[in-house]
Amino acid sequence: MNKAIFLRFLRRHLRLLSSQEAYALWAASYPAQAHNAFMQLEQTTMEHLMPDLTGRSVLDLACGTGRYGSLAQTKGAASIIGLDNSLPMLQAGTLPQAALATFTALPIASHAVDVILCGLAVGHLPRLEPIFSEIGRVLKPGGQALISDLHPFQALTGAQRTFTAQGKSFAVEHYPHLYADYQRSATNAGLLIEALLEPEMPQKRGLPVVLVLRLKKL
């Protein structure tokens, strides 16, 4: 069995965890920066589409240990808050203002945020509509949201997000969302998709590995 076939076999037979179970295990070793080639590509693409954050209020949604909130600080954001549904990730994080919350019930007033940054998280939920509804609610008119996720083509061909903790490897639950799903959910939430990128890994051309969208509140 060659290495590529073995890795595909291994990934298909990893124990699958819910996102909360996964991040509870992963938190102790999850750094607040892009820590592999996939995440580095994702972050580079996010920064390519990132609006000017100078003097703006930023929500790091599904912040984890605070990777994008910390980046927003370096880019001059006036205020930054992180929200995540994993208490262990928040406790391991770096953001001074962070709170426990779910995607579908954000503890933020309507029309209160200039920019939302959300990296590699929306695929943990089976439906986009509730997420986008809350994003549309809390954004100010003209506000923007920058969202990334594992590209649906990857998920549909069997790729998984995996991690190692306590000497074992695991896969994290993931639901592929097609562009049509994003378009419908955005429209229903009063959002316009104004930019989209689908990068491939430079050393392995083929299917795109990340989907990054920038949306604007109408």
Side-chain angles (χ1 to χ4, degrees):
M1 182 182 293
N2 67 35
K3 183 177 180 181
I5 293 173
F6 174 74
L7 288 174
R8 285 199 296 270
F9 174 85
L10 181 63
R11 286 168 183 152
R12 288 171 183 167
H13 292 80
L14 292 177
R15 181 184 171 191
L16 181 66
L17 302 179
S18 72
S19 59
Q20 284 193 300
E21 291 174 322
Y23 288 115
L25 283 176
W26 203 351
S29 61
Y30 198 107
Q33 64 265 353
H35 52 270
N36 56 45
F38 168 74
M39 293 181 72
Q40 289 164 3
L41 176 64
E42 176 265 348
Q43 184 167 315
T44 297
T45 310
M46 287 277 278
E47 290 192 72
H48 187 77
L49 290 184
M50 193 169 290
D52 183 12
L53 302 184
T54 306
R56 306 182 81 184
S57 57
V58 173
L59 168 60
D60 184 356
L61 182 57
C63 63
T65 52
R67 176 165 62 111
Y68 278 110
S70 298
L71 183 63
Q73 186 174 25
T74 69
K75 292 183 178 293
S79 63
I80 303 159
I81 186 169
L83 296 176
D84 200 279
N85 71 347
S86 172
L87 183 58
M89 289 288 276
L90 291 171
Q91 291 173 332
T94 60
L95 297 180
Q97 295 190 73
L100 192 66
T102 66
F103 260 134
T104 56
L106 303 180
I108 294 178
S110 298
H111 315 304
V113 177
D114 291 313
V115 177
I116 293 175
L117 305 175
C118 182
L120 300 174
V122 296
H124 293 323
L125 272 68
R127 297 177 59 242
L128 288 175
E129 287 87 348
I131 304 171
F132 276 49
S133 177
E134 279 294 87
I135 288 174
R137 180 183 67 80
V138 303
L139 276 178
K140 297 177 181 178
Q144 293 167 293
L146 192 61
I147 296 170
S148 72
D149 205 17
L150 178 68
H151 199 283
F153 291 175
Q154 292 290 327
L156 290 170
T157 53
Q160 295 174 297
R161 291 208 63 200
T162 62
F163 70 100
T164 300
Q166 300 174 356
K168 298 179 181 180
S169 295
F170 303 91
V172 188
E173 68 173 329
H174 183 85
Y175 304 90
H177 302 300
L178 301 177
Y179 179 77
D181 301 321
Y182 285 98
Q183 181 67 66
R184 181 181 62 255
S185 301
T187 299
N188 291 340
L191 301 167
L192 173 69
I193 298 175
E194 59 177 10
L196 178 150
L197 288 174
E198 301 172 285
E200 303 170 3
M201 294 299 291
Q203 67 274 29
K204 189 177 180 181
R205 312 300 285 182
L207 292 176
V209 295
V210 182
L211 178 66
V212 178
L213 305 100
R214 189 176 69 222
L215 305 100
K216 185 174 183 178
K217 174 69 177 293
L218 299 175

